[in-house]
């Protein structure tokens, strides 16, 4: 099993770039959105594509309605001479996981990871509905907002949170996003003001939903001494793990995220217990959580045992910009940036996939390679 | 350091044009169950699942791994979905192998599938995109001019493609899992079949199949303890390479990415003369002419000589010194997403001596190769009976 330590080769995030996250890229195709981001992520550390040991990306064909949409992305990287390269039909955070594992093998020292997606090209709700069981669920066309609303209702019914708590998450996200030049949804509204929003699907009001976002992001990973050469304060990955739950919504307790907890334990940011008590976080400075819907942040906080001292989603999170296939990798980039810019000593990033937090990844980051995420 | 990694279980479905007896979940589970039985393992023994398939539009399910997680025993475990075009079956096996080689996991289940009868792959591949050159009608329309360029460049006579088509279909008769079993296949039958994309005739192209393939990959410690009774196939080398679809000066007939991928795998495996040192190869040949083209690209002969090897019968299971696609290959079985993994899996079966009627005698080393996109994505591995 993946372990937080135990002889792993130290690997760090040394560079992070992202496009502005926008409602609609009217005039640029995927390659044109991605290419400046690739240039930026290389320029920040003075590297070129030819120095990359491995390249791995994440995207989804269905967003632009074309098979092999990732193929043209090779043009944004300039894949000549040929490169060692792979692609996941997943959020870029999972591409980063693949690159991180390959960097353990010592034959390469660097990797480029990127992801891109223009959610505005399709009817996103219908596209994501096609993720569901094609025989028994998808034909009913429950869209992602309806499914998230079921989850939110279950959470309210559990007595742990109220609609006002969802509004408070949204208000904080929008306020924090004011400091993020790439964010899409930002503002100074209070939670009380947001509670005046109409319901989209009860109990979810407009502010509890993510925006539809077009954008791209890229990260460079480097191992060992190479990371220290490239970056003054590399964000060392001290642990990473991901887990998937059953697809059957009726078989899950939607008010909890047991796979986030287990991934957090394996990544070393949640105390390993017998699973009976509430999870206890080890106390990171910053947590970037991929919670597309406001109530999901509350579920994730509980699953990771995040205390009040942890700064959650200082970037504004997925409520401020939710590029499909992009937002998870951005969480890792944002968390790493807090370490690289010196504002944090330790951080965790989370990425999710599937309806109602079905699949979850947790990445632990620290200013020291030997650190295990604890302060 | 990379850890030693081995294939300790293989499984595949019976491939057909329509597997209407199973759902997508039933299809992948059939292959995975066979792989687990071969490895003498149960679902609970598996640490992680890596699944691959070609474009989601082929079935109309977005990121189907989400729906397939319980069917593949992945609940509570890591699951990764790979998509690298036609090479994906090979790439998926390599991503899984790296999870073991990197020391991340000890036992990884890898699965690839396509249920082509759920849609129409040819037209799913042919969706016009703004400002992009159309792919024409399916992959054949794309590759036919490249094949024509090869024929012109090498001076290969027209009958070479027909020979490959006959050879692979004859070999498929020895593989009970193969989709096409054309008992009376003959040179004349292929020659007289309708021309689809000149110079590619109907019987020189691959079928559309429903099917899945699965393997269990394991660490050295697990492989050494394996009680399956069938020896492991050890990975001696593995590599992937990609290059852009088109730019001025790109050689689409003999792509550099393929050459460099092969060179990397051979370097890892210590192979300097592939024709002499590799006993059997399973290579992605969806159109008959790709056998001579890949013989050259993979360094089994000098550039321009590939067709001469085919013509001399060197690649035949019956009497050839470098048998290629003894299983019948992609020309006989093509569940697109799984086609690459079937190459990798058949390479493992040959090393493990479990290929039955299409087994080559004394295989010490085998090659599995897959390619995809516009001949631009390559995945390969070399397996051996001995530990590397």
């Amino acid at each position: 099993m993946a372990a937080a330590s135990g002889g792993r080769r130290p690997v760090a995030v040394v560079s992070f770039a992202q496009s502005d996250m926008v409602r609609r890229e009217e005039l640029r195709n995927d390659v044109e959105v991605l290419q400046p981001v690739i240039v930026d992520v290389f320029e920040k550390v003075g590297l070129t594509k030819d120095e990359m040991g491995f390249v791995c990306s994440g995207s989804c064909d269905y967003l632009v309605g074309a098979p092999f949409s990732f193929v043209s992305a090779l043009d944004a990287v300039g894949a000549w001479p040929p490169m060692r390269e792979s692609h996941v039909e997943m959020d870029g955070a999972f591409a980063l996981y693949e690159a991180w594992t390959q960097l353990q093998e010592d034959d390469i020292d660097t990797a480029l990871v990127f992801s891109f997606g223009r959610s505005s090209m399709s009817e996103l709700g219908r596209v994501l509905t096609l993720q569901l069981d094609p025989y028994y669920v998808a034909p009913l066309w429950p869209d992602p907002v309806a499914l998230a609303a079921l989850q939110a209702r279950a959470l309210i019914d559990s007595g742990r949170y109220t609609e006002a708590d969802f509004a408070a998450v949204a208000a904080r996200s929008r306020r924090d996003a004011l400091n993020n030049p790439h964010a899409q949804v930002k503002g100074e509204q209070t939670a009380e003001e947001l509670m005046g929003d109409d319901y989209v699907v009860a109990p979810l009001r407009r502010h509890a939903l993510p925006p539809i976002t077009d954008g791209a992001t890229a990260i460079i990973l480097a191992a060992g001494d190479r990371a220290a050469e490239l970056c003054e304060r590399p964000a060392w990955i001290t642990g990473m793990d991901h887990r998937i739950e059953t697809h059957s919504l009726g078989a899950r307790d939607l008010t909890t995220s047991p796979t986030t907890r287990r991934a957090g334990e394996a990544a070393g940011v949640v105390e390993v217990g017998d699973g009976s008590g509430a999870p206890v976080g080890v106390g990171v400075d910053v947590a970037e959580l991929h919670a597309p819907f406001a109530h999901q942040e509350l579920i994730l906080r509980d699953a990771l045992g995040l205390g009040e001292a942890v700064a959650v989603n200082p970037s504004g999170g997925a409520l401020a910009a939710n590029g499909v296939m992009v937002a998870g990798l951005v969480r890792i980039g944002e968390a790493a940036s807090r370490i690289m810019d010196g504002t944090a000593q330790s951080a965790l990033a989370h990425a999710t996939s599937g309806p109602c937090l079905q699949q979850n990844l947790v990445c632990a980051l620290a200013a020291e390679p030997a650190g295990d995420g604890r302060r | 350091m990379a850890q030693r990694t081995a294939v300790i279980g293989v499984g595949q479905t019976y491939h057909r044009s329509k597997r209407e007896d199973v759902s997508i979940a039933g299809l992948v589970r059939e292959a995975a169950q066979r792989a687990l039985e071969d490895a003498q393992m149960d679902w609970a023994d598996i640490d992680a699942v890596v699944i691959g398939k070609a474009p989601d539009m082929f079935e109309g399910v977005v990121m189907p791994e989400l729906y397939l997680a319980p069917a593949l025993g992945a609940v509570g475990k890591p699951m990764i979905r790979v998509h690298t075009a036609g090479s994906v079956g090979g790439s998926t096996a390599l991503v899984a192998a790296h999870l073991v080689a990197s020391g991340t996991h000890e036992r990884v289940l890898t699965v690839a599938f396509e249920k082509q009868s759920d849609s129409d792959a040819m037209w799913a591949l042919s969706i016009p995109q703004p400002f992009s050159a159309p792919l024409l009608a399916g992959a054949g329309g794309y590759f036919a001019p490249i094949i024509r360029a090869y024929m012109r460049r090498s001076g290969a006579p027209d009958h070479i493609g027909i020979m490959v088509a006959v050879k692979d279909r004859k070999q498929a008769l020895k593989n009970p899992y193969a989709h096409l079993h054309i008992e009376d296949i003959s040179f004349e039958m292929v020659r007289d079949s309708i021309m689809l994309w000149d110079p590619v005739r109907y019987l020189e192209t691959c079928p559309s199949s429903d099917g899945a393939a699965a393997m269990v990959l394991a660490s050295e410690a697990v492989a050494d303890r394996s009680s399956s009774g069938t020896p492991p196939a050890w990975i001696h080398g593995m590599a992937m390479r990609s290059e852009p679809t088109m730019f001025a000066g790109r050689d689409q007939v003999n792509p550099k990415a393929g050459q460099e991928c092969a060179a990397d795998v051979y370097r890892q495996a210590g192979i300097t003369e592939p024709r002499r040192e590799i006993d059997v190869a399973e290579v992605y040949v969806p159109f008959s002419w790709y056998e001579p083209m890949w013989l050259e690209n993979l360094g089994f002969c000098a550039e321009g000589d590939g067709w001469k090897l085919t013509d001399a019968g060197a690649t035949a299971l019956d009497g050839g010194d470098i048998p290629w696609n003894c299983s019948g290959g992609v020309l006989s079985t093509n569940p697109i997403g799984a086609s690459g993994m079937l190459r990798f899996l058949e390479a493992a079966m040959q090393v493990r001596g479990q290929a039955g009627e299409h087994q080559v005698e004394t295989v010490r080393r085998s090659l599995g190769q897959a390619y995809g996109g516009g001949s631009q994505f390559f995945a390969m591995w070399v397996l051996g009976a001995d530990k590397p």
Side-chain angles (χ1 to χ4, degrees):
Chain A
M1 287 292 157
S5 53
R8 278 207 169 269
R9 188 185 189 203
V11 171
V13 175
V14 296
S15 184
F16 166 57
Q18 61 181 313
S19 67
D20 287 341
M21 300 294 161
V22 300
R23 174 61 182 82
R24 185 168 174 84
E25 281 284 356
E26 293 278 3
L27 298 173
R28 299 194 298 172
N29 65 20
D30 286 345
V31 175
E32 290 164 331
V33 173
L34 182 59
Q35 197 265 350
V37 175
I38 301 288
V39 169
D40 192 18
V41 82
F42 281 137
E43 279 184 350
K44 281 176 172 162
V45 279
L47 289 172
T48 67
K49 164 258 161 193
D50 291 339
E51 294 167 272
M52 292 297 105
F54 181 54
V55 176
C56 199
S57 63
S59 69
C60 173
D61 278 352
Y62 256 92
L63 291 183
V64 289
F68 307 132
S69 62
F70 61 92
V71 173
S72 59
L74 292 180
D75 292 333
V77 183
W80 188 261
M83 57 192 195
R84 175 171 161 182
E85 188 261 353
S86 190
H87 173 264
V88 294
E89 196 84 350
M90 307 177 84
D91 188 288
F94 295 88
L96 184 135
Y97 178 87
E98 183 182 332
W100 176 67
T101 57
Q102 295 209 14
L103 279 161
Q104 300 301 319
E105 291 172 48
D106 276 353
D107 59 333
I108 52 171
D109 294 324
T110 52
L112 169 68
V113 180
F114 64 89
S115 65
F116 59 94
R118 284 179 297 149
S119 311
S120 72
M121 293 289 287
S122 57
E123 288 182 56
L124 187 61
R126 290 177 74 84
V127 166
L128 294 178
T129 299
L130 291 175
Q131 286 183 335
L132 304 169
D133 179 321
Y135 305 98
Y136 296 111
V137 186
L140 305 172
W141 288 100
D143 72 14
V145 179
L147 295 178
L150 283 174
Q151 184 179 37
R153 177 65 68 198
L155 189 61
I156 291 170
D157 289 350
S158 76
R160 282 154 56 207
Y161 296 104
T162 65
E163 285 180 47
D165 295 318
F166 305 168
V169 168
R172 195 211 65 236
S173 294
R174 292 179 179 199
R175 197 165 54 245
D176 286 347
L178 289 167
N179 298 315
N180 178 357
H182 302 289
Q184 179 184 350
V185 179
K186 46 183 92 178
E188 288 281 10
Q189 301 101 319
T190 63
E192 291 71 30
E193 288 164 350
L194 290 179
M195 283 295 280
D197 283 356
D198 289 336
Y199 286 120
V200 179
V201 179
L204 297 178
R205 300 172 194 272
R206 176 67 58 190
H207 60 257
L209 271 58
I212 288 176
T213 305
D214 292 356
T217 186
I219 278 175
I220 293 174
L221 296 178
D225 295 342
R226 192 80 178 107
E229 288 165 25
L230 289 167
C231 183
E232 199 176 327
R233 278 178 61 91
W236 297 97
I237 297 172
T238 56
M240 184 158 37
D241 191 76
H242 61 95
R243 306 278 163 161
I244 194 165
E245 294 177 33
T246 186
H247 187 63
S248 176
L249 290 167
R252 291 172 52 195
D253 175 357
L254 296 179
T255 68
T256 64
S257 185
T259 52
T260 297
R261 176 185 183 154
R262 287 188 61 190
E265 288 174 349
V269 291
V270 176
E271 300 279 5
V272 180
D274 60 8
S276 60
V280 178
V282 299
V284 292
D285 295 331
V286 171
E288 282 281 345
L289 306 178
H290 184 193
F293 294 88
H295 66 276
Q296 292 175 340
E297 180 185 301
L298 302 168
I299 294 170
L300 293 169
R301 291 180 77 119
D302 288 349
L304 292 164
L306 300 183
E308 290 301 316
V310 181
V312 174
N313 286 341
S315 67
L319 289 173
N322 186 42
V324 174
M325 315 312 270
V326 174
L329 187 58
V330 167
R331 302 279 74 70
I332 297 175
E334 290 284 0
S337 295
R338 301 293 78 77
I339 289 170
M340 291 192 284
D341 68 16
T343 54
Q345 291 297 310
S346 62
L348 73 82
H350 159 271
T352 196
S353 178
C356 301
L357 304 172
Q358 187 191 345
Q359 188 174 22
N360 296 286
L361 176 148
V362 175
C363 176
L365 298 147
E368 297 296 330
D372 60 0
R374 292 159 201 264
R375 279 199 295 193
Chain B
M1 273 298 290
Q3 310 290 312
R4 284 176 177 152
T5 305
V7 181
I8 63 163
V10 302
Q12 60 184 304
T13 57
Y14 290 100
H15 310 288
R16 298 288 178 265
S17 56
K18 293 183 182 182
R19 283 294 307 269
E20 289 176 336
D21 58 320
V22 285
S23 63
I24 296 171
L27 189 75
V28 295
R29 196 172 165 92
E30 184 177 311
Q33 184 79 55
R34 289 199 177 111
L36 288 172
E37 282 166 10
D38 188 31
Q40 297 270 299
M41 283 186 175
D42 204 346
W43 299 98
D45 297 321
I46 296 297
D47 299 330
V49 178
V50 182
I51 185 167
K53 70 175 299 299
D56 291 354
M57 281 149 204
F58 286 180
E59 289 83 10
V61 185
V62 176
M63 299 158 70
E65 65 279 4
L66 296 165
Y67 141 70
L68 292 171
L72 289 171
V75 172
K77 296 174 184 173
M79 190 175 196
I80 294 175
R81 157 72 192 289
V82 182
H83 177 16
T84 63
S87 64
V88 66
S91 312
T92 303
L94 294 185
V95 172
H98 278 295
L99 287 182
V100 178
S102 64
T104 309
H105 297 298
E106 299 246 50
R107 305 163 193 85
V108 176
L109 173 67
T110 185
V111 185
F113 77 97
E114 209 72 66
K115 206 161 189 301
Q116 283 212 55
S117 67
D118 276 12
S119 86
D120 186 322
M122 192 180 92
W123 294 113
L125 281 172
S126 309
I127 299 168
Q129 290 298 305
F131 311 113
S132 293
L135 195 59
L136 307 172
Y142 185 90
F143 290 112
I146 301 171
I147 291 169
R148 184 59 78 187
Y150 171 74
M151 295 168 75
R152 186 163 297 133
R153 193 191 283 189
S154 68
D158 187 61
H159 71 267
I160 299 298
I162 301 173
M163 283 187 69
V164 176
V166 173
K167 174 194 68 119
D168 283 5
R169 267 49 170 277
K170 277 193 171 153
Q171 289 170 182
L173 294 172
K174 299 172 185 292
N175 176 5
Y177 293 104
H179 172 184
L180 294 184
H181 288 129
I182 310 173
E183 298 288 344
D184 55 344
I185 187 77
S186 69
F187 187 91
E188 292 71 28
M189 185 193 285
V190 177
R191 184 194 63 201
D192 297 341
S193 65
I194 192 170
M195 189 64 81
L196 286 184
W197 304 279
D198 194 344
V200 180
R201 295 172 179 82
Y202 177 71
L203 283 174
E204 289 179 275
T205 189
C206 51
S208 293
S209 313
D210 287 357
M215 288 187 281
V216 177
L217 297 163
S219 66
E220 183 176 13
V222 171
D224 283 346
R225 287 199 308 269
S226 175
S227 57
S228 79
T230 312
W234 297 95
I235 298 175
H236 287 206
M238 54 177 169
M240 291 162 73
R241 288 294 185 283
S242 309
E243 68 184 43
T245 316
M246 48 187 87
F247 59 87
R250 176 174 180 241
D251 188 347
Q252 298 202 57
V253 174
N254 192 355
K256 193 177 168 89
Q259 295 173 20
E260 293 189 356
C261 191
D264 190 2
V265 171
Y266 296 158
R267 181 189 53 74
Q268 293 172 45
I271 288 172
T272 52
E273 296 177 63
R275 183 173 176 182
R276 191 175 61 79
E277 295 174 74
I278 293 170
D279 299 312
V280 57
E282 284 279 343
V283 178
Y284 204 103
V285 177
F287 303 101
S288 59
W289 280 95
Y290 270 85
E291 176 175 296
M293 290 162 71
W294 292 149
L295 278 165
E296 298 172 25
N297 190 249
L298 288 166
F300 278 68
C301 60
E303 191 161 357
D305 286 350
W307 65 270
K308 296 173 189 166
L309 267 61
T310 298
D311 205 19
T315 56
L317 171 58
D318 184 11
D321 71 301
I322 40 159
W324 270 35
N325 294 325
C326 300
S327 64
V330 183
L331 281 171
S332 305
T333 305
N334 184 38
I336 300 179
S339 293
M341 187 171 286
L342 287 168
R343 309 283 68 73
F344 279 52
L345 177 154
E346 288 283 349
M349 289 172 68
Q350 290 286 349
V351 165
R352 304 177 77 212
Q354 57 184 166
E357 270 196 83
H358 65 281
Q359 177 71 44
V360 172
E361 262 181 78
T362 54
V363 175
R364 303 307 298 173
R365 290 224 266 205
S366 65
L367 169 70
Q369 179 260 24
Y371 87 98
S375 303
Q376 63 190 122
F377 298 101
F378 292 86
M380 302 176 194
W381 73 11
V382 167
L383 300 176
D386 301 320
K387 281 187 190 178

